[in-house]
């Protein structure tokens, strides 16, 4: 019964894409560690871009910058 | 000062029920490990059913299936 | 299938005490939200006292202070 | 590439304040452990006051009490 | 820069298996959401069987029971 | 009572450095959001380099590569 927690920025992942993440992560644990897929839990957390920082800046600020 | 994190699907837990979870988890840590209830923190996270998977499928999909 | 994560300092909780936490948290979710105990997961994390801080100090440092 | 997760109650932190948390946490890891700020990730989670408990009560309930 | 956290019981996953989990989770995020693999972080946590409970019992206790 | 969780690779942070992280994170929350330092909790998790991946590889593997 592994637990997979996936954190992504909230930028429009669809229900279909989230279903693929759930399916793919469950299969990964089965393939690599032979974990029973019936009891693998996957939780996806979508985080606002104001609330996710990298390089000392929020993703909101980074995305607003002109691309070089 | 233990920390308890409870993740449930977002399916209508009321403020009263959440208050009971907070009270119950705090008492559990006091009873079993003699932790001071004044400093026990409980955080409840409610996760959309699209974002919670088990058995390789989202809870949304599972709940939509006819019961056998 | 709720998920409960309990973080405590690593200060000698026994296997019996941890079993009581697992049992108690599972019953709490069943009693309050009618969650099926068979699929409730409880994970206990024990954190070294050097790695847990409160009030700006580690628990190691706090415990070393003379009690007033 | 450290990961910092900050959980606060959802009580009106502004985008500017969240940007300061991201900047400050990134600098802290650089100053203390010489971690490359370019790859430090900071995630801020804002939790409803009904969902955050301390002392066995939700923050909602605590805030509603008259101050002594 | 997604973050994937995988929690499994500490029951002998090898460095090679953990490397496969890291590779597989990174590819999954790239395939489904087109996330840049260079900045995807995967953290694997291995939890003692005394500290992981399901169905109200620790994995240690469950594994000690005779199989039907 | 904010909660700060810092995840770093287990590569020799000293008790003094961890104390500085605890102090710094607590001050950050006080300075930016006026949070009472007495109730801010900081938890540091040190993760084995086999268990931390970035760019699809574990830190163990990355560190073993010759620097360009």
């Amino acid at each position: 019964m592994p637990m997979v927690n996936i954190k992504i920025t909230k930028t429009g992942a669809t229900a279909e894409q989230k279903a693929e993440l759930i399916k793919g992560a469950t299969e990964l644990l089965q393939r690599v560690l032979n974990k029973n897929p019936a009891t693998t839990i996957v939780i996806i957390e979508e985080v606002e871009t104001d609330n996710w920082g990298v390089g000392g800046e929020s993703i909101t600020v980074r995305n607003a910058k002109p691309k070089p």
Side-chain angles (χ1 to χ4, degrees), chain A:
Chain A
M1 66 235 66
M3 261 289 312
V4 181
N5 184 287
I6 299 173
K7 283 184 161 66
I8 53 176
T9 47
K10 196 177 186 113
T11 45
T14 64
E16 285 70 27
Q17 289 172 321
K18 292 190 271 193
E20 274 193 76
L21 290 179
I22 288 168
K23 188 162 170 286
T26 304
E27 288 173 354
L28 178 66
L29 271 294
Q30 182 178 26
R31 179 170 60 77
V32 176
L33 293 176
N34 200 28
K35 297 291 186 184
N36 179 0
T39 55
T40 293
I41 290 181
V42 182
I43 293 176
I44 299 166
E45 294 179 48
E46 296 174 280
V47 178
E48 302 288 343
T49 56
D50 276 356
N51 291 17
W52 190 303
V54 67
E57 288 178 328
S58 76
I59 301 293
T60 307
V61 167
R62 288 169 78 93
N63 286 351
K65 289 187 173 169
K67 294 293 178 297

